[in-house]
CSV table of all heavy atoms in Angstrom, one decimal:
chain,number,residue,atom,x,y,z
J,877,ASN,N,3.0,30.4,42.3
J,877,ASN,CA,4.2,31.1,42.7
J,877,ASN,C,5.5,30.7,42.0
J,877,ASN,O,6.6,31.3,42.3
J,877,ASN,CB,4.4,31.2,44.2
J,877,ASN,CG,4.7,29.8,44.8
J,877,ASN,OD1,4.9,28.8,44.1
J,877,ASN,ND2,4.8,29.7,46.1
J,878,ILE,N,5.4,29.6,41.2
J,878,ILE,CA,6.7,29.1,40.7
J,878,ILE,C,7.4,30.0,39.7
J,878,ILE,O,8.6,30.0,39.6
J,878,ILE,CB,6.4,27.7,40.0
J,878,ILE,CG1,7.7,27.0,39.7
J,878,ILE,CG2,5.6,27.9,38.7
J,878,ILE,CD1,7.6,25.5,39.3
J,879,GLU,N,6.6,30.9,39.1
J,879,GLU,CA,7.2,31.9,38.2
J,879,GLU,C,8.1,32.9,39.0
J,879,GLU,O,8.9,33.7,38.5
J,879,GLU,CB,6.2,32.7,37.4
J,879,GLU,CG,5.3,31.7,36.6
J,879,GLU,CD,6.0,31.3,35.3
J,879,GLU,OE1,7.2,31.7,35.1
J,879,GLU,OE2,5.4,30.5,34.5
J,880,GLN,N,7.8,33.0,40.4
J,880,GLN,CA,8.6,33.9,41.2
J,880,GLN,C,9.8,33.3,41.8
J,880,GLN,O,10.4,33.9,42.7
J,880,GLN,CB,7.7,34.4,42.4
J,880,GLN,CG,6.5,35.2,42.1
J,880,GLN,CD,5.8,35.7,43.3
J,880,GLN,OE1,6.1,35.3,44.5
J,880,GLN,NE2,4.8,36.5,43.2
J,881,ILE,N,10.2,32.1,41.4
J,881,ILE,CA,11.2,31.4,42.1
J,881,ILE,C,12.6,32.2,42.3
J,881,ILE,O,13.2,32.1,43.3
J,881,ILE,CB,11.5,30.0,41.5
J,881,ILE,CG1,12.3,29.1,42.5
J,881,ILE,CG2,12.1,30.1,40.2
J,881,ILE,CD1,12.2,27.6,42.2
J,882,ARG,N,12.9,32.9,41.3
J,882,ARG,CA,14.1,33.8,41.4
J,882,ARG,C,13.9,34.8,42.4
J,882,ARG,O,14.8,35.1,43.3
J,882,ARG,CB,14.5,34.4,40.0
J,882,ARG,CG,15.8,35.2,40.1
J,882,ARG,CD,16.2,35.8,38.7
J,882,ARG,NE,16.5,34.7,37.8
J,882,ARG,CZ,17.6,34.1,37.7
J,882,ARG,NH1,18.6,34.4,38.5
J,882,ARG,NH2,17.8,33.1,36.8
J,883,ASP,N,12.8,35.5,42.4
J,883,ASP,CA,12.5,36.5,43.5
J,883,ASP,C,12.4,35.9,44.9
J,883,ASP,O,12.9,36.5,45.8
J,883,ASP,CB,11.2,37.2,43.1
J,883,ASP,CG,11.3,38.1,41.9
J,883,ASP,OD1,12.4,38.5,41.5
J,883,ASP,OD2,10.3,38.3,41.3
J,884,ILE,N,11.9,34.7,44.9
J,884,ILE,CA,11.8,34.0,46.2
J,884,ILE,C,13.2,33.7,46.8
J,884,ILE,O,13.5,34.0,47.9
J,884,ILE,CB,11.0,32.7,46.1
J,884,ILE,CG1,9.5,32.9,45.9
J,884,ILE,CG2,11.3,31.7,47.3
J,884,ILE,CD1,8.7,31.7,45.5
J,885,LEU,N,14.1,33.3,45.9
J,885,LEU,CA,15.5,33.0,46.3
J,885,LEU,C,16.2,34.2,46.7
J,885,LEU,O,17.0,34.3,47.6
J,885,LEU,CB,16.2,32.2,45.3
J,885,LEU,CG,15.7,30.7,45.2
J,885,LEU,CD1,16.2,30.0,43.9
J,885,LEU,CD2,16.2,29.9,46.4
J,886,GLU,N,15.9,35.3,45.9
J,886,GLU,CA,16.5,36.6,46.3
J,886,GLU,C,16.1,37.1,47.7
J,886,GLU,O,16.8,37.6,48.4
J,886,GLU,CB,16.2,37.7,45.2
J,886,GLU,CG,17.1,37.6,44.0
J,886,GLU,CD,18.6,37.9,44.4
J,886,GLU,OE1,18.8,38.8,45.2
J,886,GLU,OE2,19.4,37.2,43.8
J,887,MET,N,14.8,36.8,48.0
J,887,MET,CA,14.3,37.2,49.3
J,887,MET,C,15.0,36.4,50.4
J,887,MET,O,15.3,36.9,51.5
J,887,MET,CB,12.8,36.9,49.4
J,887,MET,CG,12.2,37.1,50.7
J,887,MET,SD,10.4,36.7,50.8
J,887,MET,CE,10.5,34.9,50.8
J,888,THR,N,15.3,35.1,50.1
J,888,THR,CA,16.0,34.3,51.1
J,888,THR,C,17.4,34.8,51.3
J,888,THR,O,18.0,34.7,52.4
J,888,THR,CB,16.0,32.8,50.8
J,888,THR,OG1,16.8,32.6,49.6
J,888,THR,CG2,14.6,32.3,50.5
J,889,VAL,N,18.0,35.3,50.2
J,889,VAL,CA,19.4,35.9,50.3
J,889,VAL,C,19.3,37.1,51.2
J,889,VAL,O,20.2,37.4,52.1
J,889,VAL,CB,20.0,36.2,49.0
J,889,VAL,CG1,21.3,36.9,49.1
J,889,VAL,CG2,20.2,34.9,48.2
J,890,GLU,N,18.3,38.0,50.9
J,890,GLU,CA,18.1,39.2,51.7
J,890,GLU,C,18.0,38.9,53.2
J,890,GLU,O,18.5,39.7,54.0
J,890,GLU,CB,16.9,39.9,51.2
J,890,GLU,CG,16.5,41.2,52.0
J,890,GLU,CD,15.0,41.5,51.8
J,890,GLU,OE1,14.4,41.1,50.7
J,890,GLU,OE2,14.4,42.2,52.7
J,891,LEU,N,17.2,37.9,53.5
J,891,LEU,CA,17.0,37.5,54.9
J,891,LEU,C,18.1,36.7,55.5
J,891,LEU,O,18.1,36.3,56.7
J,891,LEU,CB,15.7,36.7,55.0
J,891,LEU,CG,14.4,37.5,54.7
J,891,LEU,CD1,13.2,36.6,54.6
J,891,LEU,CD2,14.2,38.7,55.7
J,892,ASN,N,19.2,36.5,54.7
J,892,ASN,CA,20.4,35.8,55.2
J,892,ASN,C,20.0,34.4,55.7
J,892,ASN,O,20.5,33.9,56.8
J,892,ASN,CB,21.0,36.6,56.3
J,892,ASN,CG,22.5,36.2,56.6
J,892,ASN,OD1,23.1,35.5,55.7
J,892,ASN,ND2,23.0,36.5,57.7
J,893,ALA,N,19.2,33.6,54.9
J,893,ALA,CA,18.8,32.3,55.3
J,893,ALA,C,20.0,31.3,55.3
J,893,ALA,O,20.8,31.4,54.4
J,893,ALA,CB,17.7,31.8,54.4
J,894,ASP,N,20.0,30.4,56.3
J,894,ASP,CA,21.0,29.4,56.4
J,894,ASP,C,20.5,28.1,55.6
J,894,ASP,O,21.3,27.4,55.0
J,894,ASP,CB,21.2,29.0,57.8
J,894,ASP,CG,21.8,30.1,58.6
J,894,ASP,OD1,23.0,30.6,58.3
J,894,ASP,OD2,21.2,30.6,59.5
J,895,TYR,N,19.2,27.9,55.7
J,895,TYR,CA,18.6,26.7,55.0
J,895,TYR,C,17.3,27.2,54.3
J,895,TYR,O,16.5,27.9,54.9
J,895,TYR,CB,18.2,25.6,56.0
J,895,TYR,CG,19.4,25.1,56.7
J,895,TYR,CD1,19.7,25.6,58.0
J,895,TYR,CD2,20.2,24.0,56.2
J,895,TYR,CE1,20.8,25.1,58.7
J,895,TYR,CE2,21.3,23.6,56.9
J,895,TYR,CZ,21.6,24.1,58.2
J,895,TYR,OH,22.7,23.6,58.9
J,896,VAL,N,17.1,26.8,53.0
J,896,VAL,CA,16.0,27.1,52.3
J,896,VAL,C,15.4,25.8,51.7
J,896,VAL,O,16.0,25.1,51.0
J,896,VAL,CB,16.3,28.1,51.1
J,896,VAL,CG1,15.0,28.4,50.3
J,896,VAL,CG2,16.9,29.4,51.6
J,897,GLU,N,14.1,25.6,52.0
J,897,GLU,CA,13.4,24.5,51.5
J,897,GLU,C,12.4,25.0,50.5
J,897,GLU,O,11.4,25.6,50.8
J,897,GLU,CB,12.7,23.6,52.6
J,897,GLU,CG,12.1,22.4,52.0
J,897,GLU,CD,11.4,21.5,53.1
J,897,GLU,OE1,11.5,21.9,54.3
J,897,GLU,OE2,10.9,20.5,52.7
J,898,LEU,N,12.6,24.7,49.2
J,898,LEU,CA,11.7,25.0,48.2
J,898,LEU,C,10.8,23.7,48.0
J,898,LEU,O,11.2,22.8,47.3
J,898,LEU,CB,12.3,25.3,46.8
J,898,LEU,CG,13.3,26.6,46.9
J,898,LEU,CD1,14.0,26.7,45.6
J,898,LEU,CD2,12.5,27.8,47.2
J,899,ALA,N,9.8,23.7,48.8
J,899,ALA,CA,9.0,22.4,49.0
J,899,ALA,C,7.9,22.3,48.0
J,899,ALA,O,6.9,23.0,48.1
J,899,ALA,CB,8.4,22.4,50.4
J,900,SER,N,8.2,21.5,46.9
J,900,SER,CA,7.1,21.3,45.9
J,900,SER,C,5.9,20.8,46.6
J,900,SER,O,6.0,19.9,47.5
J,900,SER,CB,7.6,20.3,44.9
J,900,SER,OG,8.6,20.9,44.1
J,901,THR,N,4.7,21.3,46.3
J,901,THR,CA,3.5,20.9,46.9
J,901,THR,C,3.3,19.4,46.8
J,901,THR,O,3.5,18.8,45.7
J,901,THR,CB,2.3,21.6,46.2
J,901,THR,OG1,2.5,23.0,46.4
J,901,THR,CG2,1.0,21.2,46.8
J,902,GLN,N,2.9,18.8,47.9
J,902,GLN,CA,2.5,17.4,47.9
J,902,GLN,C,1.0,17.4,47.9
J,902,GLN,O,0.4,18.0,48.7
J,902,GLN,CB,3.1,16.7,49.2
J,902,GLN,CG,4.6,16.7,49.3
J,902,GLN,CD,5.3,15.9,48.2
J,902,GLN,OE1,4.9,14.7,47.9
J,902,GLN,NE2,6.2,16.5,47.5
J,903,TYR,N,0.5,16.7,46.9
J,903,TYR,CA,-1.0,16.8,46.6
J,903,TYR,C,-1.8,15.8,47.4
J,903,TYR,O,-2.3,14.8,47.0
J,903,TYR,CB,-1.2,16.7,45.1
J,903,TYR,CG,-0.6,17.9,44.4
J,903,TYR,CD1,0.7,17.8,43.9
J,903,TYR,CD2,-1.2,19.1,44.4
J,903,TYR,CE1,1.3,18.9,43.3
J,903,TYR,CE2,-0.6,20.2,43.8
J,903,TYR,CZ,0.6,20.1,43.3
J,903,TYR,OH,1.3,21.2,42.7
J,904,TYR,N,-1.9,16.2,48.7
J,904,TYR,CA,-2.8,15.5,49.7
J,904,TYR,C,-3.7,16.6,50.3
J,904,TYR,O,-3.4,17.8,50.3
J,904,TYR,CB,-2.0,14.9,50.8
J,904,TYR,CG,-0.9,14.0,50.3
J,904,TYR,CD1,0.4,14.4,50.3
J,904,TYR,CD2,-1.1,12.7,49.9
J,904,TYR,CE1,1.5,13.6,49.8
J,904,TYR,CE2,-0.1,11.9,49.5
J,904,TYR,CZ,1.2,12.3,49.4
J,904,TYR,OH,2.2,11.5,49.0
J,905,GLY,N,-4.7,16.2,51.0
J,905,GLY,CA,-5.6,17.1,51.7
J,905,GLY,C,-6.1,18.2,50.8
J,905,GLY,O,-6.6,18.0,49.7
J,906,TRP,N,-5.9,19.5,51.3
J,906,TRP,CA,-6.4,20.6,50.6
J,906,TRP,C,-5.7,20.8,49.2
J,906,TRP,O,-6.4,21.3,48.2
J,906,TRP,CB,-6.2,21.9,51.4
J,906,TRP,CG,-7.0,21.8,52.7
J,906,TRP,CD1,-6.7,21.2,53.9
J,906,TRP,CD2,-8.4,22.2,52.9
J,906,TRP,NE1,-7.7,21.3,54.8
J,906,TRP,CE2,-8.8,21.9,54.2
J,906,TRP,CE3,-9.3,22.9,52.1
J,906,TRP,CZ2,-10.0,22.2,54.7
J,906,TRP,CZ3,-10.6,23.2,52.6
J,906,TRP,CH2,-10.9,22.9,53.9
C-alpha cells in the first residue's frame, strides 16, 4: 500500500483526522 500514501493521507483529510499514524510494518509475527 505504500504507493497509495498520498491517497491514504487524502482519505485522512477527508475524514477530518486529528492524529494519523502511518505505522511502518514491524516485522514480527505474521
Side-chain angles (χ1 to χ4, degrees):
N877 67 3
I878 195 168
E879 302 283 358
Q880 294 186 353
I881 195 162
R882 183 176 295 277
D883 292 336
I884 287 170
L885 286 165
E886 276 299 321
M887 178 183 72
T888 69
V889 173
E890 172 202 337
L891 293 172
N892 198 19
D894 297 294
Y895 300 92
V896 178
E897 183 178 1
L898 301 172
S900 291
T901 300
Q902 298 296 307
Y903 294 94
Y904 309 99
W906 296 86

